[in-house]
Amino acid sequence: MTAPPETSPLRRHRPFVLLCAEQTAGSVGRQITALALTLLAVTVLDAGPFAASVILALTYLPGAVLSPVAGVLVDRVRLRRLLVLATSLQALVVGSVPLARAAGHLTWLHLYAVAAVSGTLTFTLSIALQAALPRVVGPDRLLAANSALTGARTIGQIGGPALGGVLVGLTGTGAALTAGSIAYAVEALVLFALPATLDTPAAPQKAPSTSPTAALRAGLEVVRRERRLYRMVLAGAGLNLGSGASAALYVLYASRELHLPAWQLGATYAMFSAATVLGIVVAGRFGARPGLWRTTRICGPVAGAAGFLVPAASVGPAFPLLLVYQVSYGLAVTVWTISLTTLQQLIAPAGMQGRVAGFNQAALLATVPVGALGGGALAAALGNVPVLVAAAAIALASGATLWAPMRAQELPLPDQAQ
């Protein structure tokens, strides 16, 4: 696909505007679905804490396990067709839940299957969209495009839970899931409106006899060969390990040990959302000035160090410290994520975007549930504060590895990424 002239604003570039609309619609659908599925399990099937946790785990597990395989699929099929098919299946899968409930045949097995299939489709779609963006815009505008797409997605992440809560309160969980299914259907229609040229391979295809295993090895080799990308992925995995443990304990720690009232706890989450928006605004300019690699080297340690503010709240002014934590962490991690995605797209060869994105996504996702489960188990034995300190130390150490000396034979980065 030929990118438009670089002087043409992204807001006037129809395929990119469609991708922004897709991000908003898909994000709303996912937020409504996640909330309604959990509430349905609790109110209708009388789920306990473990059963509700299984539903959440099943939505993330496919991303950690199957992302590299999904990357191979993305690189081998017609991209636009895959995008439309995945979102259409999402609409059908989520829509099956209110239909089963209305027929009186809703079961735990059905809910678990919906969570697992929906999670698989969500993370496959994420990889496909990362592979599609370099075909839609030129390399010089990838950073700005990723910032805008993150902003469109954030709109859904902020408004989706509120909309889902209103729908559940007014019409019930079944109607809310129907609304989520409709949001996925709208997403499919938006993707169908993308130019058919998106199905054109980004590079000449390898011989069809190439096995999936060989294709996986080739994608992993790209990640390992570019050491800066490799370091960023490992550092991100460590950051997610620490932040996963901290996130799992945050509400319990803030409410029971710090005795924060509900409005203050909610205000800290709202501050994180505001910091995310600020990060989206500054990511393009900040990432372009020092370069993507230097930006991640700055943001990684900042995000890790911010974690120490959470246990510090036990000995200092709790509410202000948690507000500062949410601002600093939200800002740093947003700029980090946008820079990492852009660098990945610049480095990955044409025809291998899906596999590189798949390996990176798997590494970043796998450590979140490990951190959450490990943090919860350790906190039960040691207490919240020691575990929160350890989680922050892991995150900071992971971010600090980006400052280790580079080898002289390191391959050069693209100009936009220096």
Side-chain angles (χ1 to χ4, degrees):
M1 179 180 297
T2 302
E6 295 301 318
T7 56
S8 175
L10 286 174
R11 65 179 180 273
R12 296 181 182 176
H13 181 20
R14 181 175 176 273
F16 178 73
V17 172
L18 288 172
L19 286 181
C20 288
E22 176 277 331
Q23 288 288 285
T24 301
S27 182
V28 169
R30 284 185 286 275
Q31 295 298 325
I32 293 177
T33 299
L35 176 63
L37 275 180
T38 303
L39 290 176
L40 184 66
V42 171
T43 59
V44 177
L45 298 180
D46 195 25
F50 177 76
S53 298
V54 169
I55 292 178
L56 180 62
L58 285 173
T59 61
Y60 281 93
L61 186 61
V65 176
L66 299 177
S67 286
V69 179
V72 174
L73 177 66
V74 167
D75 286 337
R76 290 191 168 196
V77 303
R78 296 181 178 181
L79 200 48
R80 174 173 169 267
R81 181 176 297 180
L82 176 63
L83 291 168
V84 174
L85 177 61
T87 49
S88 299
L89 288 175
Q90 280 276 38
L92 294 175
V93 168
V94 173
S96 71
V97 177
L99 289 177
R101 183 187 178 188
H105 298 302
L106 184 64
T107 64
W108 277 112
L109 181 61
H110 189 168
L111 279 188
Y112 287 157
V114 167
V117 174
S118 180
T120 301
L121 293 171
T122 294
F123 291 114
T124 300
L125 183 65
S126 173
I127 294 169
L129 288 168
Q130 290 182 53
L133 187 60
R135 303 193 198 179
V136 173
V137 302
D140 291 338
R141 300 200 293 179
L142 274 175
L143 181 57
N146 278 310
S147 299
L149 289 178
T150 303
R153 186 166 57 249
T154 301
I155 292 173
Q157 291 172 344
I158 295 174
L163 178 59
V166 171
L167 288 173
V168 170
L170 295 178
T171 61
T173 52
L177 284 169
T178 301
S181 177
I182 292 173
Y184 285 126
V186 171
E187 183 183 12
L189 290 174
V190 170
L191 290 170
F192 184 75
L194 287 170
T197 50
L198 195 61
D199 282 335
T200 303
Q205 295 296 302
K206 299 275 186 178
S209 58
T210 303
S211 68
T213 302
L216 281 171
R217 285 199 299 266
L220 180 60
E221 181 59 28
V222 172
V223 178
R224 295 177 61 184
R225 184 177 67 238
E226 177 39 69
R227 300 300 294 178
R228 275 163 284 205
L229 179 60
Y230 184 65
R231 286 192 181 191
M232 288 170 66
V233 173
L234 291 182
L239 283 168
N240 283 352
L241 181 68
S243 62
S246 180
L249 302 174
Y250 185 81
V251 173
L252 184 67
Y253 166 71
S255 58
R256 291 189 180 179
E257 291 195 25
L258 303 181
H259 306 292
L260 258 64
W263 74 267
Q264 289 186 348
L265 182 60
T268 65
Y269 280 110
M271 192 61 68
F272 177 83
S273 298
T276 299
V277 174
L278 179 60
I280 293 166
V281 172
V282 305
R285 294 181 179 178
F286 188 71
R289 288 177 181 174
L292 298 175
W293 168 242
R294 295 185 184 92
T295 296
T296 57
R297 297 180 82 189
I298 295 170
C299 291
V302 170
F308 286 102
L309 294 172
V310 179
S314 62
V315 294
F319 184 46
L321 283 173
L322 291 184
L323 288 177
V324 175
Y325 159 71
Q326 295 286 18
V327 170
S328 54
Y329 180 78
L331 179 60
V333 81
T334 300
V335 177
W336 158 283
T337 302
I338 293 172
S339 300
L340 172 59
T341 302
T342 306
L343 181 59
Q344 163 196 302
Q345 292 166 332
L346 287 169
I347 290 175
M352 299 187 69
Q353 289 279 351
R355 278 165 282 178
V356 173
F359 277 110
N360 291 353
Q361 181 170 275
L364 295 174
L365 287 175
T367 51
V368 175
V370 173
L373 293 174
L378 289 173
L382 304 176
N384 290 324
V385 173
V387 175
L388 288 169
V389 172
I394 291 172
L396 177 59
S398 299
T401 60
L402 296 170
W403 289 91
M406 305 298 293
R407 295 186 306 197
Q409 65 268 34
E410 188 67 47
L411 293 175
L413 287 172
D415 291 340
Q416 301 94 328
Q418 293 294 337

